[in-house]
Amino acid sequence: MLTIETGGGRGRPGAPRRVVRRPDKHGRGVGRQLVSAVERACAELGIEVVRLDTRGELAEACALYERLGYRRVGPFNAEPYSDRWYAKQVDR
């Protein structure tokens, strides 16, 4: 299950929550496919910016987001687990 928080409607930032791939799928492009699917869903909902939070110790996830064009931004929530925040403009 995937939930996209829209932050208030069309044109507002969207944030995927708990996008996780199984460990046995590592190196097969599944994470990239999941993030791309989230971006497409956001674009279809009229969401222009996708934001996500994670932890720096999840180096592979951080590297994936950066390869996919996400840029580090300042904190946009008070999630105690997170210490790294990203955002990306998505095309409609």
Side-chain angles (χ1 to χ4, degrees):
M1 180 174 160
L2 172 67
T3 302
I4 300 172
E5 296 178 351
T6 62
R10 289 185 79 75
R12 306 296 287 197
R17 304 307 297 168
R18 310 297 176 251
V19 178
V20 181
R21 62 128 176 96
R22 292 183 359 201
D24 63 319
K25 301 298 181 187
H26 177 75
R28 297 182 184 180
V30 174
R32 179 183 40 77
Q33 292 171 7
L34 286 170
V35 173
S36 294
V38 168
E39 292 173 359
R40 284 191 305 275
C42 286
E44 289 172 8
L45 291 170
I47 296 168
E48 298 172 356
V49 177
V50 176
R51 301 187 311 187
L52 54 89
D53 57 87
T54 189
R55 292 194 59 74
E57 67 189 41
L58 300 174
E60 291 176 1
C62 294
L64 171 66
Y65 301 139
E66 292 172 12
R67 279 194 310 273
L68 294 176
Y70 285 81
R71 300 291 174 241
R72 286 185 67 174
V73 297
F76 51 78
N77 63 24
E79 176 63 51
Y81 177 77
S82 301
D83 63 7
R84 211 170 268 196
W85 292 263
Y86 289 94
K88 179 181 177 180
Q89 186 85 26
V90 293
D91 297 324
R92 288 197 212 187

